[in-house]
Amino acid sequence: MHFLDDSLWPENQEKLVITAAPYGPEWEPGDFPEDIPVTMDQQVQAAVDCYNAGATVLHIHVRELNGKGSKRMSMFNELLGRLRDAVPDMILQIGGSISFTPENDGEAAKWLEDEARHLLTTLDPAPDQVTIAINTSQMNIVELMTADDIAGTSFERPALHEAFRNMVVPAEPAWVEEHLKRLRAAGIQPHFQLAHSAQLETVERLVRRGVYTGPLNISWVAIGGGFDGPNPYTMMDFIRRVPDGASLTMESIMRAVLPINTMGIAMGLHTRCGNEDNLWYAKGEKMTSVRQVEQLVRIAGELGRKIADGKEARDIYKIGEYWDSADEALAKLGYAPNRKPGQVGFTFHA
């Protein structure tokens, strides 16, 4: 991404798209009972509250009445149907992990098998987006969590902590290509959840080879444990490598969420917050997902950055749009074109 002399002026920036992730699939309801929705009514109300606070993208996981993360497509269909009525302008984004939480202590924290994750492309009503991982990698979500972060939560149980410490994200090339194909056939947009620049390079190769020829909505997931950490130097290198035609959302973990998001707001990027990413306002003081959204709206206001409404967020994300060829996708995204036969030297757009 290129920054001109006037790129930090809010009047030259896109309106801010805030993603809310209020379903905290890694947590048990007792970890934050005031904010972890369990019943279907509570899950719908969480979306309404986050939308009213200023979020226009909803990152969705589904929970059963027993508090466990749901793996039933029927439950996803029910929630999606109710959300279409309750928050019709919100971008509905299904978390591609479905549920990685172990059923019992001592079991592995793992994503569902390949074909089960492909079923997300058959949901009815269809979501606007499904998040997708690129390249199998470690996802140790507790590496950066401190004793204060997990105090009073289920993560204090050694067996559960160990299960999440050893979690792996499966995203082999064959699965990724098949999933992208099925998403396009279903009219669903992928949202790329990227751990570091090597995964961004793989996404670029998918575009260059014509495997994926659509808008690039990317999250930089700075959670450590196999992913980049919330380091400003690493963040700036990743930002520099994202093409100008993509949208980039900042995502981090626990009390790094706010400073990373604040930098993102100031730079014209987009943000994500909610109890899936963070439970805390300050050490020992919890903060609900809605308060986190309100906090970002308030900071954006101080910086003069306007908040996108639902239609504006859809325009920024280019929901429903795909392109016909690798050449067109490269031009739309701002990548240099592929090399023509016999062409030497660097390639560039006219």
Side-chain angles (χ1 to χ4, degrees), residues 26 100 139-145 155 164 167 223 253:
E26 72 273 36
F100 45 69
M139 190 180 182
N140 170 9
I141 67 171
V142 299
E143 183 177 75
L144 297 184
M145 292 188 188
F155 277 30
F164 278 107
M167 184 167 63
I223 62 174
I253 192 165

Side-chain angles (χ1 to χ4, degrees), residues 114-330:
D114 290 356
E115 195 57 38
R117 286 187 289 153
H118 285 321
L119 289 176
L120 294 178
T121 66
T122 68
L123 291 171
D124 184 19
D128 299 294
Q129 290 187 320
V130 170
T131 61
I132 184 170
I134 298 293
N135 297 337
T136 297
S137 63
Q138 189 73 49
M139 190 180 182
N140 170 9
I141 67 171
V142 299
E143 183 177 75
L144 297 184
M145 292 188 188
T146 67
D148 293 315
D149 289 330
I150 66 173
T153 75
S154 54
F155 277 30
E156 287 189 307
R157 299 203 304 269
L160 187 67
H161 187 278
E162 189 68 5
F164 278 107
R165 192 170 75 93
N166 291 292
M167 184 167 63
V168 172
V169 180
E172 296 86 353
W175 178 84
V176 166
E177 292 188 12
E178 178 63 22
H179 202 57
L180 289 171
K181 182 172 71 175
R182 295 195 194 191
L183 286 171
R184 177 163 188 169
I188 300 170
Q189 185 183 81
H191 189 107
F192 295 90
Q193 300 280 108
L194 302 184
H196 42 66
S197 294
Q199 293 181 358
L200 179 61
E201 290 177 355
T202 293
V203 172
E204 180 181 348
R205 294 182 191 111
L206 290 169
V207 175
R208 291 194 174 279
R209 294 166 184 167
V211 175
Y212 177 71
T213 56
L216 281 187
N217 293 299
I218 296 168
S219 287
W220 177 61
V221 188
I223 62 174
F227 288 53
D228 278 342
N231 182 310
Y233 290 107
T234 309
M235 181 185 80
M236 290 306 303
D237 183 64
F238 190 92
I239 292 169
R240 180 179 61 84
R241 302 181 71 168
V242 171
D244 297 327
S247 78
L248 178 59
T249 295
M250 312 310 287
E251 180 178 340
S252 195
I253 192 165
M254 293 301 182
R255 286 187 293 142
V257 170
L258 180 58
I260 290 293
N261 275 338
T262 300
M263 288 186 277
I265 293 171
M267 295 175 67
L269 308 175
H270 305 291
T271 59
R272 170 175 144 154
C273 64
N275 58 35
E276 184 171 341
D277 302 338
N278 176 40
L279 298 181
W280 305 103
Y281 171 69
K283 189 181 294 187
E285 181 182 347
K286 287 181 178 171
M287 188 178 195
T288 66
S289 298
V290 168
R291 281 188 64 202
Q292 292 180 48
V293 174
E294 291 171 341
Q295 184 181 55
L296 295 183
V297 169
R298 190 165 58 250
I299 291 170
E302 289 293 330
L303 291 169
R305 182 100 181 266
K306 296 185 182 301
I307 308 299
D309 63 24
K311 182 184 182 306
E312 291 164 336
R314 288 176 179 276
D315 291 342
I316 290 168
Y317 272 21
K318 299 180 176 65
I319 296 293
E321 189 170 340
Y322 274 99
W323 304 310
D324 294 329
S325 67
D327 288 342
E328 184 180 8
L330 291 168

Side-chain angles (χ1 to χ4, degrees), residues 5-74:
D5 291 341
D6 60 1
S7 290
L8 299 186
W9 299 351
E11 64 268 25
N12 293 331
Q13 296 174 339
E14 287 181 324
K15 290 185 178 181
L16 174 64
V17 177
I18 300 175
T19 298
Y23 298 115
E26 72 273 36
W27 305 110
E28 296 179 359
D31 293 338
F32 196 178
E34 301 86 353
D35 198 48
I36 302 290
V38 176
T39 69
M40 190 62 68
D41 285 347
Q42 289 171 339
Q43 292 176 77
V44 172
Q45 191 61 49
V48 171
D49 293 343
C50 287
Y51 177 75
N52 289 338
T56 46
V57 180
L58 182 70
H59 183 75
I60 300 167
H61 294 270
V62 185
R63 201 176 291 266
E64 299 279 354
L65 281 174
N66 64 5
K68 301 290 186 182
S70 181
K71 300 174 176 65
R72 292 192 292 155
M73 294 300 111
S74 60

